[in-house]
Amino acid sequence: MELGRFLVSPAPHIRSGESTQRIMLDVIIALLPAMIAGVWFFGINAILVTAVAVVAAVASEAVMQKYVLKRPVTVSDLSAAVTGILIAFNVPATLPLWMVALGSIFAIVIVKQCFGGLGNNFINPALAARAFLLTSFAGDMTNWVAPGADAVAAATPLGLVKGAEAATQALPSLMDLFIGNVPGCIGETSAALLLLGGLYLVYRGVISIRIPASFIATVAVLTFLMGGFDASLAAYHVFAGGLFLGAIFMATDYSSSPMTPMGQIIMGIGCGLITVVIRFFGALPEGVSYSILLMNVATPLIDKFTIPKKFGGVKKSA
Amino acid sequence: MNIRTLTFKGGTHPPHSKKATEKLAVQAAAAPKVVVIPMQQHLGAPCEPIVKAGDEVKLGQKIGEAKGFVSAPIHSSVSGKVMAVEPRLYPGGTAVICVVIESDMQDTLFEGVKSYGSLDNLTPDEIKNIVKESGIVGMGGAAFPTHVKLSPPPGKHLDAVILNGAECEPYLTSDHRLMLEQAEKVVFGLQALMKAAGVKKGYIGIENNKPDAIEALYKASQGIEGIEVVALHTKYPQGAEKQLIYACTKKEVPSGGLPADVGVIVNNVGTAAVIADAIREGMPLVERIVTITGAAVKEPKNLLVRIGTSFKEVVEQCGGLVENPGKIIAGGPMMGIAQFTLDVPVIKGTSGILILSEKEARLPEPSNCIRCGKCVDVCPISLMPINISAFSLQDKFEQAEACHAMDCIECGSCSFVCPAKRPLVDSIKVAKREIMARRKKAQSSQAKG
């Protein structure tokens, strides 16, 4: 029996079928229902914005890696595509396309690649891009339109609750909020379809339920208490705005959220707390994205203080 | 059958890959013409050869004397003539002193091989002595001398013996077949261990992907007081000592401690069976069941192989290879040791010879850690493999130690599950070695000062 060349390496000698690419593909699959809803409610513009955001994100990552960092190009891991979709989900469908592209480039080049690429960004790139766009182009970023073909200018439900906008518009029904038939960013309006995507991610083991559940529960409980024990107001706060998008898809970003089970619950509660504080006391109608960005910054600290108790940490008998 | 199903926290689910051999009865391998018997087959001090080239030896005759307490003597697995006593490669990866014996194919039994009679006539110390003199070590793979486990440090009180029939390593079926075909022997061995350890309680833990083995041992232990067969969730590393103890007794072995710290000793079901042979037939440990499997093996089998038979000969008895091997592994795919040749002998701890195809053996390229935390979820010790690995890669071994690197049991679950394909356990092993070296250095400099 003559043997040719073969491999000698340390154990384990088999690996699971999981891969970064498969995880990112699962996230894209989970985002699809809400994306279709976005197109249904906001029309062809939603498709254009999403396409531009994805192309700009992927292209800027490829250019950055190949020509600036001179490293292997890793766009096939699909993480840049996910960032692109999430940026599109976080802007109104009316946003000029060059601003969309600028947001993607900012997310990938500054927030992701300048800090070491995938896994090393300390805040969520898509949310950082949203904050960047909101600060730079406040008017365009809040140019909401009602769903439908006419694209009538309208206020978001949270804007109405806050009373900041024209009060001539009636508050949409809870059902419209749940299915997403309200003004807002492309991907944030349909709580039902975002939830569907979230359930898929939990089923696939991509995310744990800890962050989304504790985030949404905190918002529900706090708005119920602070709104004077008004269950319908609490339900309104839960389904309106970007809470489901933020809790399921943004706060669970691996690189910028804690890895420990306890840390993930703290992350969710912290996000919920800051969201409610901004919505009730802040100048802005919506606080989900800033709450996540703030908790992103706290993540290394949370991870450090929530290291799980190791097995065998019991006292040794004498 | 009233059987509890138990488990531990964490763990992962590699594919079982046991179909090829789980239904195949154990066959005796052809007697080898030449055996190469290493003097180091166990954890602890190597043996000193007590035969020299030219000596005639008989089957079951002691050829290596244990040096030190943590050691186990070694016996000839054939009768014949010693050809050489020299360093040869063994599955541990290095060359060790081996006794090379040419068999006369007579299998003339050594005069000392005699039955010790029934368990009732033996005292605990006599049983311990039989276990020690028969060269019995843990048959699960680590090969820790069994008599040492039976003699816990003073002050430690034992109250249970656990037999490990989890066989959580994918591919391997040697323990499964043993439990099915020799259930009565396993139970006898457990009774001997319980008597030697002076305990009233015995557990036999078996993963629930082997319901037939659970049933066989349940039947074989009916009417024997104190023995409980427990089903274990099929999850890797269910057969790791501390995880098995936790599953059966809900007790955590303290960090850096021994099972005896929680009043338990754990032995493999294979160990129990060889103890039964040693007591009833007087036969020392000279052969073991080996699963020969993997996509590159033509006819996977469970074979009863003499210690010292070369891997090559064993594989040839399985029809040889269907393709060039991708990897040759002594043991299972999660913790087994990759070999660089088939010219190594089967030793006491060789539970399997796994030969992967080139496709299966291909190693994926590692990419950036995405901080998904899956390694944290699966770690059976609740460590954070990602942190230890990161510190190890930066040569920050103090920090790695502060992250409890030394508690890692090297099960490989973290490397297995990592979607970025990072070799986490490799870097943790490096950290452990480095920390050990530094501790030794500190100790010796203290001794000098």
Side-chain angles (χ1 to χ4, degrees):
Chain A
M1 201 164 22
E2 280 300 305
L3 299 181
R5 287 160 65 88
F6 57 93
L7 194 67
V8 179
S9 68
H13 307 288
I14 51 173
R15 301 298 177 88
S16 70
E18 301 201 37
S19 68
T20 304
Q21 189 188 42
R22 177 68 225 197
I23 288 172
M24 296 301 164
L25 183 63
D26 275 333
V27 176
I28 294 175
I29 292 170
L31 286 168
L32 276 179
M35 194 190 299
I36 293 166
V39 174
W40 175 262
F41 291 130
F42 302 113
I44 190 82
N45 266 353
I47 300 181
L48 282 176
V49 169
T50 311
V52 168
V54 170
V55 169
V58 172
S60 57
E61 176 151 289
V63 169
M64 184 76 179
Q65 287 181 322
K66 186 157 188 190
Y67 297 104
V68 183
L69 302 169
K70 309 216 184 316
R71 287 184 181 170
V73 176
T74 60
V75 292
S76 64
D77 67 21
L78 299 177
S79 62
V82 168
T83 301
I85 297 173
L86 287 175
I87 290 171
F89 272 33
N90 274 288
V91 299
T94 52
L95 194 69
L97 295 179
W98 69 269
M99 290 185 193
V100 176
L102 190 65
S104 283
I105 294 167
F106 176 81
I108 295 296
V109 173
I110 305 293
V111 184
K112 187 178 177 190
Q113 290 301 334
C114 279
F115 286 91
L118 183 62
N120 294 316
N121 49 286
F122 71 100
I123 51 175
N124 186 317
L127 281 181
R130 177 184 150 90
F132 164 74
L133 292 173
L134 199 58
T135 327
S136 313
F137 315 106
D140 291 299
M141 278 295 284
T142 52
N143 180 17
W144 313 113
V145 292
D150 308 336
V152 197
T156 61
L158 282 178
L160 292 172
V161 170
K162 195 111 182 174
E165 314 263 343
T168 50
Q169 197 181 329
L171 268 179
S173 72
L174 260 183
M175 197 39 147
D176 275 341
L177 270 185
F178 187 60
I179 62 167
N181 192 21
V182 291
C185 294
I186 292 173
E188 73 178 7
T189 62
S190 179
L193 294 175
L194 289 166
L195 184 64
L196 184 70
L199 290 175
Y200 172 76
L201 289 185
V202 171
Y203 166 74
R204 290 278 306 159
V206 173
I207 61 169
S208 126
I209 194 168
R210 292 179 206 114
I211 293 176
S214 56
F215 192 165
I216 294 168
T218 305
V219 170
V221 170
L222 284 182
T223 50
F224 180 70
L225 295 178
M226 293 168 69
F229 301 95
D230 182 348
S232 68
L233 180 75
Y236 220 82
H237 270 285
V238 167
F239 295 129
L243 182 58
F244 274 60
L245 177 62
I248 297 169
F249 292 96
M250 318 290 282
T252 53
D253 171 47
Y254 287 151
S255 8
S256 55
S257 68
M259 284 183 298
T260 64
M262 182 49 82
Q264 291 175 348
I265 291 170
I266 295 174
M267 169 88 182
I269 294 174
C271 286
L273 193 69
I274 300 171
T275 298
V276 173
V277 167
I278 294 177
R279 281 188 185 177
F280 275 72
F281 307 110
L284 300 163
E286 174 58 311
V288 168
S289 48
Y290 288 109
S291 76
I292 296 171
L293 286 170
L294 283 170
M295 291 308 288
N296 284 165
V297 181
T299 290
L301 208 60
I302 297 173
D303 261 344
K304 195 174 164 182
F305 286 109
T306 55
I307 287 172
K309 185 180 95 58
K310 69 171 177 179
F311 181 89
V314 291
K315 264 219 175 93
K316 204 166 162 179
S317 66
Chain B
M1 277 203 303
N2 179 22
I3 288 179
R4 296 188 289 159
T5 303
L6 307 168
T7 195
F8 64 100
K9 267 185 272 174
T12 182
H13 296 91
H16 302 171
S17 308
K18 292 179 191 266
K19 287 266 181 299
T21 53
E22 67 184 0
K23 298 264 186 281
L24 302 178
V26 177
Q27 295 171 280
K33 290 194 180 66
V34 174
V35 288
V36 177
I37 304 180
M39 292 292 109
Q40 169 90 71
Q41 301 190 23
H42 44 263
L43 278 176
C47 285
E48 196 133 293
I50 52 173
V51 291
K52 56 186 188 306
D55 285 0
E56 295 284 339
V57 294
K58 291 179 179 165
L59 173 60
Q61 181 180 339
K62 193 191 280 183
I63 55 172
E65 188 66 77
K67 288 285 159 194
F69 179 61
V70 183
S71 186
I74 286 161
H75 303 78
S76 175
S77 56
V78 294
S79 62
K81 194 172 176 183
V82 176
M83 291 160 70
V85 177
E86 61 185 24
R88 293 270 184 108
L89 281 177
Y90 92 120
T94 51
V96 297
I97 296 289
C98 293
V99 174
V100 185
I101 304 166
E102 183 176 31
S103 171
D104 58 14
M105 305 310 269
Q106 301 298 314
D107 282 347
T108 314
L109 212 55
F110 180 62
E111 301 75 33
V113 175
K114 278 196 296 259
S115 173
Y116 290 96
S118 113
L119 212 49
D120 296 333
N121 306 328
L122 295 170
T123 66
D125 280 336
E126 282 169 336
I127 298 172
K128 279 183 213 173
N129 201 47
I130 294 168
V131 168
K132 185 178 177 186
E133 284 306 309
S134 304
I136 290 169
V137 300
M139 302 291 278
F144 188 78
T146 304
H147 71 269
V148 181
K149 290 186 184 177
L150 288 171
S151 325
K156 304 265 188 264
H157 175 77
L158 296 180
D159 48 35
V161 172
I162 299 176
L163 282 195
N164 186 352
E167 200 162 51
C168 59
E169 272 277 4
Y171 286 97
L172 303 186
T173 56
S174 50
D175 288 347
H176 184 185
R177 293 310 306 179
L178 172 85
M179 290 187 281
L180 272 185
E181 297 169 27
Q182 305 179 22
E184 180 271 335
K185 224 189 221 182
V186 171
V187 172
F188 181 91
L190 175 57
Q191 286 176 285
L193 282 163
M194 286 162 66
K195 184 161 185 186
V199 304
K200 297 267 173 284
K201 182 78 188 168
Y203 296 94
I204 307 174
I206 306 165
E207 277 192 348
N208 59 8
N209 62 347
K210 298 178 265 290
D212 47 356
I214 294 173
E215 199 187 325
L217 279 166
Y218 182 80
K219 278 187 187 150
S221 61
Q222 277 301 346
I224 300 172
E225 211 178 317
I227 295 183
E228 181 185 0
V229 176
V230 294
L232 306 166
H233 283 293
T234 304
K235 186 168 74 170
Y236 182 86
Q238 184 64 73
E241 194 167 65
K242 294 174 180 182
Q243 278 56 46
L244 180 63
I245 294 172
Y246 181 80
C248 291
T249 68
K250 294 287 167 285
K251 287 180 193 163
E252 283 187 31
V253 176
S255 168
L258 292 170
D261 287 318
V262 291
V264 175
I265 55 171
V266 179
N267 287 281
N268 190 265
V269 287
T271 314
V274 291
I275 289 172
D277 284 340
I279 291 172
R280 297 202 285 207
E281 291 157 35
M283 197 57 168
L285 176 46
V286 293
E287 58 186 8
R288 70 156 298 140
I289 303 172
V290 182
T291 301
I292 303 96
T293 187
V297 176
K298 193 168 179 196
E299 295 168 46
K301 282 179 182 170
N302 298 300
L303 291 179
L304 182 63
V305 182
R306 310 272 184 115
I307 304 297
T309 313
S310 84
F311 276 28
K312 187 187 259 177
E313 221 176 305
V314 177
V315 172
E316 272 163 4
Q317 290 182 44
C318 297
L321 300 175
V322 289
E323 61 165 278
N324 190 52
K327 202 182 243 182
I328 299 165
I329 299 156
M334 294 300 285
M335 288 187 78
I337 303 173
Q339 303 295 311
F340 47 90
T341 170
L342 277 172
D343 289 314
V344 287
V346 167
I347 57 174
K348 292 173 182 178
T350 310
S351 47
I353 300 173
L354 170 61
I355 306 186
L356 299 177
S357 67
E358 285 182 329
K359 190 167 150 256
E360 288 171 322
R362 209 165 293 149
L363 277 182
E365 273 298 307
S367 54
N368 272 15
C369 168
I370 55 172
R371 285 178 41 93
C372 63
K374 283 181 198 286
C375 56
V376 181
D377 287 339
V378 300
C379 179
I381 309 292
S382 298
L383 302 178
M384 297 190 66
I386 160 159
N387 290 358
I388 306 175
S389 170
F391 285 133
S392 174
L393 292 175
Q394 299 167 44
D395 290 345
K396 293 181 178 165
F397 299 111
E398 281 89 16
Q399 279 106 316
E401 193 174 1
C403 294
H404 311 297
M406 295 311 286
D407 284 274
C408 170
I409 59 169
E410 305 182 11
C411 68
S413 295
C414 50
S415 293
F416 172 80
V417 80
C418 181
K421 310 295 168 196
R422 300 188 69 78
L424 295 165
V425 74
D426 297 7
S427 50
I428 298 174
K429 284 182 196 168
V430 169
K432 286 177 74 175
R433 221 160 295 154
E434 197 66 30
I435 294 164
M436 282 303 281
R438 286 174 186 211
R439 280 184 189 175
K440 268 198 190 134
K441 213 172 157 188
Q443 263 174 4
S444 66
S445 68
Q446 241 174 9
K448 273 180 210 154

